Amino acid sequence: MPDQQSSSAKASSKKMRRQEAEALILSAAEKVFAEAGFGGATMQLIADMAGLPKANLHYYFPTKETLYRQVVQNIFQIWLQAADIFDQADGPAEGIGAYIDAKMEISRRHPEGSKVWAAEVMHGAPVIQDYLETTLTEWTNGRIAVIERWIAEGRMDPIDPRHLLYMLWATTQHYADFGHQIETLNGDTALSDAQWNAAKSSVKSIILKGIGAKDDV
């Protein structure tokens, strides 16, 4: 029994060290890819940002493309989790309102990941086109079905769900992708907690009123 406990503890410790190392590398990679793009980034730049030997990066991520895809998938998975409320909400006011809150909070806390995604797509998605054609397409179709159900139930105006999603993405991700512009217009100062809350409230009010969202029918 002691040997089994010791082996289990060692395995757990090894797993934790791996997770910590991967998180450190991914955080550094987000920053480098956001600033330099896929073409301009190098494994050496990322290693320097992470404060690790380049060999450590290749141990966890054999190629730059492998690391890049993981960075892109990470931000997308965070966005997917934010959209879970769509399936759980009673109606569009609750579901879309909560989605806006979550997406704007992600823009606040993960701006580099959002910028990496935006740059990749603006360049024609040369690395993640397959991801757009599968995972993103499936997710989008699922959300369209939910919105169409709300429309059929009379809970919101009969608008094109696809264009609503485009508007939600563009608006919420603007606060990450154009964060420098927002700070400049805010007197060269990052938005305060109160300003972020006001921004969320304004965006929700504009969009929810614009689509005639209501949870009571």
Side-chain angles (χ1 to χ4, degrees), residues 177-196:
D177 302 340
F178 289 85
H180 176 73
Q181 177 174 279
I182 289 174
E183 288 190 11
T184 299
L185 296 174
N186 195 46
D188 293 323
T189 304
L191 297 183
S192 66
D193 289 346
Q195 287 175 316
W196 271 104

Side-chain angles (χ1 to χ4, degrees), residues 111-132:
E112 291 87 1
S114 181
K115 291 172 185 174
V116 173
W117 178 279
E120 168 71 10
V121 174
M122 285 192 293
H123 285 85
V127 178
I128 65 160
Q129 180 62 27
D130 61 321
Y131 202 70
L132 300 186

Side-chain angles (χ1 to χ4, degrees), residues 72-84 99 102-103 106-107 110 113-115 117-118 139 172-173 177:
V72 172
Q73 289 172 10
N74 276 3
I75 187 63
F76 188 67
Q77 288 302 317
I78 292 172
W79 286 337
L80 284 183
Q81 291 170 10
D84 285 346
Y99 182 58
K103 283 288 269 75
I106 292 167
S107 286
H110 301 276
S114 181
K115 291 172 185 174
W117 178 279
W139 180 90
T172 57
Q173 288 160 228
D177 302 340

Side-chain angles (χ1 to χ4, degrees), residues 86-176:
F86 267 90
D87 299 320
Q88 303 165 3
D90 290 333
E94 176 188 343
I96 295 173
Y99 182 58
I100 291 170
D101 275 337
K103 283 288 269 75
M104 289 187 67
E105 192 61 27
I106 292 167
S107 286
R108 184 181 189 184
R109 299 184 182 278
H110 301 276
E112 291 87 1
S114 181
K115 291 172 185 174
V116 173
W117 178 279
E120 168 71 10
V121 174
M122 285 192 293
H123 285 85
V127 178
I128 65 160
Q129 180 62 27
D130 61 321
Y131 202 70
L132 300 186
E133 294 173 353
T134 55
T135 307
L136 178 60
T137 298
E138 291 169 6
W139 180 90
T140 301
N141 290 339
R143 303 291 74 71
I144 287 174
V146 173
I147 295 170
E148 288 177 337
R149 173 168 54 80
W150 287 336
I151 292 172
E153 293 171 349
R155 294 176 179 270
M156 58 183 286
D157 294 342
I159 51 87
D160 187 323
R162 198 172 297 273
H163 294 299
L164 173 58
L165 289 173
Y166 296 160
M167 181 179 292
L168 291 171
W169 300 341
T171 303
T172 57
Q173 288 160 228
H174 177 91
Y175 288 84

